[in-house]
């Protein structure tokens, strides 16, 4: 990366921090992000918040691609997400040689390319309680001239401020997907949230103790919760009960 490119990126990260500080509304924030991405010479952006029970995006990617990405769990095969989790630092990316990746990843690259997503810069950050968020600016170009010299501190600081702004303003996601409970799991969890013991739930609903225990355990696993109390809290927060 040339010195000029380094300066341009550093200035852009500062601008991203300014946007996060100044945007007073959700509409202002999204409009400013779009304008900033275009000024940098990229086509679109995607902020992705990855959690075990709920992942969501704030992005100007095509709506069809955003929802397809989440519905089909593409985050589990997306090489960019895998690299972000492994490195936890800003990096540039473009599709690997077809001979270096699986047929599933090749198909993913081709599908993303159909929506004009072929290369980009991604900045991951750690968020509360062990989760990860990442900002990607993407281009339709098959490769980027940028290489390694990204100012990591400026990049992470800018994305951390953006994350805080999105959380503070409770910006509505442009696409999201979350864990789903069965009717019986939700019913048993709701009674648990009301303070009922498993024995009491069994009596109220005419189930055996073992059946109630079965549904509550499965609900806990679905929500990736370590305890029943955590499961009821998560289900309540996600409005599943």
């Amino acid at each position: 990366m040339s010195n000029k490119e380094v300066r341009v990126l550093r200035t852009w990260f500062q601008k991203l921090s300014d946007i996060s500080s100044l945007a007073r509304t959700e509409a202002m924030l999204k409009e400013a992000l779009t304008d900033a991405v275009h000024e940098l010479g990229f086509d679109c952006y995607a902020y992705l918040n990855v959690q075990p029970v709920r992942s969501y995006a704030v992005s100007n990617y095509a709506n069809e691609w955003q929802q397809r990405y989440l519905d089909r769990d593409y985050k589990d095969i997306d090489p960019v997400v895998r690299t972000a989790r492994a490195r936890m630092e800003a990096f540039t990316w473009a599709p690997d040689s077809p001979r270096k990746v699986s047929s599933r990843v090749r198909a993913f690259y081709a599908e993303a390319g159909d929506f004009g997503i072929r290369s980009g810069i991604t900045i991951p950050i750690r968020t509360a309680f062990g989760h990860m968020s990442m900002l990607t600016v993407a281009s339709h170009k098959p490769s980027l001239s940028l290489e390694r010299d990204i100012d990591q501190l400026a990049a992470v600081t800018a994305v951390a401020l953006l994350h805080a702004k999105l959380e503070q303003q409770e910006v509505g996601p442009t696409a999201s997907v979350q864990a789903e409970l069965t009717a019986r799991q939700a019913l048993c969890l709701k009674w648990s949230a009301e303070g009922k013991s498993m024995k009491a739930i069994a009596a109220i609903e005419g189930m055996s103790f073992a059946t109630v225990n079965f549904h509550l355990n499965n609900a806990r696993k679905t929500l990736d919760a370590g305890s029943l109390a955590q499961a009821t809290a998560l289900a309540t927060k996600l409005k599943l009960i």
Side-chain angles (χ1 to χ4, degrees):
M1 184 187 294
S2 69
N3 288 335
K4 180 180 179 181
E5 288 172 328
V6 171
R7 288 195 301 272
V8 167
L9 262 185
R10 187 178 292 124
T11 299
W12 190 80
F13 290 134
Q14 181 58 58
K15 181 167 187 173
L16 181 59
S17 296
D18 293 343
I19 287 170
S20 299
S21 175
L22 293 172
R24 294 290 178 259
T25 66
E26 178 176 329
M28 285 175 63
L29 182 61
K30 290 179 178 178
E31 182 181 358
L33 278 172
T34 298
D35 290 344
V37 167
H38 290 165
E39 286 179 21
L40 189 61
F42 288 76
D43 302 313
C44 45
Y45 72 88
Y47 166 87
L48 181 65
N49 186 293
V50 182
Q51 299 183 29
V53 296
R54 180 176 183 254
S55 294
Y56 66 89
V58 177
S59 173
N60 64 347
Y61 285 178
N63 291 335
E64 180 185 353
W65 172 246
Q66 290 186 55
Q67 201 59 57
R68 186 186 304 181
Y69 184 99
L70 293 175
D71 288 344
R72 298 183 183 181
D73 286 330
Y74 281 168
K75 67 183 185 333
D76 295 334
I77 64 168
D78 185 350
V80 175
V81 175
R82 289 206 308 269
T83 301
R85 283 176 168 149
R87 294 174 56 176
M88 290 307 299
E89 64 179 20
F91 60 95
T92 61
W93 54 267
D96 294 317
S97 167
R99 286 177 290 185
K100 293 183 179 180
V101 299
S102 67
S103 59
R104 192 180 181 196
V105 172
R106 283 199 301 273
F108 167 78
Y109 277 142
E111 199 171 345
D114 289 340
F115 287 92
I117 304 164
R118 297 187 177 91
S119 61
I121 303 172
T122 292
I123 308 103
I125 61 166
R126 297 191 189 282
T127 54
F129 307 108
H131 300 314
M132 180 189 80
S133 293
M134 50 188 268
L135 176 69
T136 292
V137 291
S139 171
H140 67 280
K141 300 173 184 176
S143 63
L144 296 175
S145 62
L146 305 177
E147 294 179 359
R148 299 180 181 176
D149 300 319
I150 297 174
D151 185 328
Q152 296 293 332
L153 180 59
V156 170
T157 300
V159 175
L161 288 171
L162 175 62
H163 168 76
K165 174 64 75 169
L166 291 168
E167 293 279 296
Q168 177 191 22
Q169 290 191 346
E170 298 182 344
V171 171
T174 49
S176 65
V177 64
Q178 67 182 37
E180 294 184 358
L181 300 174
T182 67
R184 288 288 184 90
Q185 289 168 2
L187 179 65
C188 291
L189 263 188
K190 181 61 177 175
W191 278 121
S192 180
E194 294 293 328
K196 301 298 183 183
S197 66
M198 286 193 280
K199 184 176 180 180
I201 296 170
I204 293 168
E205 293 297 333
M207 302 179 191
S208 68
F209 180 89
T211 298
V212 172
N213 186 51
F214 172 79
H215 289 308
L216 287 175
N217 268 332
N218 283 340
R220 182 179 55 78
K221 291 175 183 176
T222 296
L223 295 170
D224 195 37
S227 66
L228 182 56
Q230 184 187 9
T232 56
L234 275 171
T236 301
K237 179 180 178 181
L238 295 174
K239 299 180 180 180
L240 295 175
I241 57 175

